[in-house]
């Protein structure tokens, strides 16, 4: 009996890549504005560690989406 591998996750299209990138940029700018109260205080406070972790996780997610897109384009 053959073991058939199927790729459940499809690579993102260029349109989805642009949408995710725009959402990431908008959310990152929004978080920075919320953290600093429109840049009136310093963003380097220990109370903002949750925001930093969320920004880091979203950045890693965008990097993974881009690498998945690049791998799919290299195979074609």
């Amino acid at each position: 009996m053959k073991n058939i591998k199927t790729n459940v996750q499809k690579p993102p299209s260029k349109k989805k890549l642009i949408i995710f990138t725009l959402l990431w940029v908008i959310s990152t700018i929004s978080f920075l504005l919320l953290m600093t109260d429109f840049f009136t205080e310093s963003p380097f406070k220990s109370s903002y560690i949750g925001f930093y972790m969320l920004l880091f996780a979203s950045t890693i997610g965008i990097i993974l989406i881009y690498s998945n897109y690049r791998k799919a384009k290299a195979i074609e």
Side-chain angles (χ1 to χ4, degrees):
M1 194 166 174
K2 278 188 170 180
N3 189 6
I4 300 173
K5 278 188 172 181
T6 58
N7 189 5
V8 177
Q9 183 181 9
K10 294 180 182 176
S13 64
K14 198 171 199 175
K15 182 180 177 181
K16 287 182 183 178
L17 193 68
I18 291 170
I19 290 171
F20 283 132
T21 303
L22 287 175
L23 286 174
W24 174 74
V25 168
I26 290 169
S27 65
T28 302
I29 290 171
S30 297
F31 275 132
L32 285 174
L33 289 174
L34 287 172
M35 283 182 346
T36 60
D37 197 23
F38 294 97
F39 298 114
T40 57
E41 58 186 53
S42 174
F44 303 109
K45 291 184 177 180
S46 62
S47 61
Y48 298 140
I49 192 74
F51 285 116
Y52 290 134
M53 289 171 49
L54 189 62
L55 289 175
F56 182 72
S58 66
T59 303
I60 295 297
I62 286 293
I63 290 170
L64 291 175
I65 290 172
Y66 269 94
S67 68
N68 190 10
Y69 177 77
R70 203 172 331 128
K71 284 179 188 177
K73 288 300 173 185
I75 292 173
E76 290 178 359

